[in-house]
Amino acid sequence: MTKEQTPTIPETAGPRPRRLTYAAVLTALEGLALAVGGIWVFVLGLTGDPDDRQQAVTLGVTLVALALLPLLAARGLFAQRSWSRGPSVITQIMALPVAYSLLQADSMAIPAGIAIAVVAVATLVLLINPETTRALGIRGPGTAPDRKQ
């Protein structure tokens, strides 16, 4: 591609707001937790004595693959890319039913459910904040520039 054909990405003006940084850090922590959990389940499935080795290995690989979404979103949030808010919001929405199911358990999973719910709600609040939205260059409905045809 020549320089004329390469699309330019508009850079956002100003420093990254703290709310955006916090949202990126929380999203990255979720991705890291998924990756660590996936690796742990995978290794345990290979070296331990699970009920179903194939199921344990598959779950580990799935968790590591799912970790890519929040990790890529966190990278985009740090770089102030507007596309990154969507995957991060999706990650938070997916975390809420997981937290709810952990809260319904009568076991040691309840604190994990509380932690997941708190992080997901806090991250959602940070992501929909107007300051974050402006920093990512996302415009609300009705604020798109007029196009003359």
Side-chain angles (χ1 to χ4, degrees):
M1 289 182 100
T2 64
K3 194 169 189 172
E4 293 83 28
Q5 294 173 330
T6 307
T8 59
I9 299 172
E11 294 296 322
T12 55
R16 182 177 49 245
R18 274 189 283 169
R19 288 181 178 103
L20 181 58
T21 303
Y22 296 154
V25 167
L26 289 174
T27 302
L29 287 175
E30 288 172 326
L32 287 174
L34 276 170
V36 168
I39 292 169
W40 181 68
V41 170
F42 181 79
V43 170
L44 198 60
L46 290 178
T47 62
D49 189 25
D51 293 336
D52 185 0
R53 184 174 311 274
Q54 182 180 2
Q55 187 176 12
V57 169
T58 302
L59 176 62
V61 170
T62 302
L63 287 175
V64 170
L66 284 174
L68 294 176
L69 181 68
L71 289 173
L72 289 173
R75 184 169 185 241
L77 289 171
F78 275 120
Q80 290 182 272
R81 303 289 186 240
S82 62
W83 61 264
S84 61
R85 188 173 84 157
S88 185
V89 168
I90 289 169
T91 300
Q92 309 322 311
I93 291 171
M94 287 174 23
L96 291 174
V98 172
Y100 180 77
S101 67
L102 291 174
L103 289 172
Q104 299 304 309
D106 190 24
S107 67
M108 297 291 291
I110 292 174
I114 292 170
I116 291 170
V118 167
V119 169
V121 170
T123 306
L124 278 171
V125 168
L126 290 168
L127 288 170
I128 62 171
N129 185 281
E131 185 180 342
T132 301
T133 304
R134 275 191 302 277
L136 292 173
I138 299 172
R139 297 184 199 146
T143 57
D146 292 331
R147 293 185 189 179
K148 296 186 179 186
Q149 297 179 2

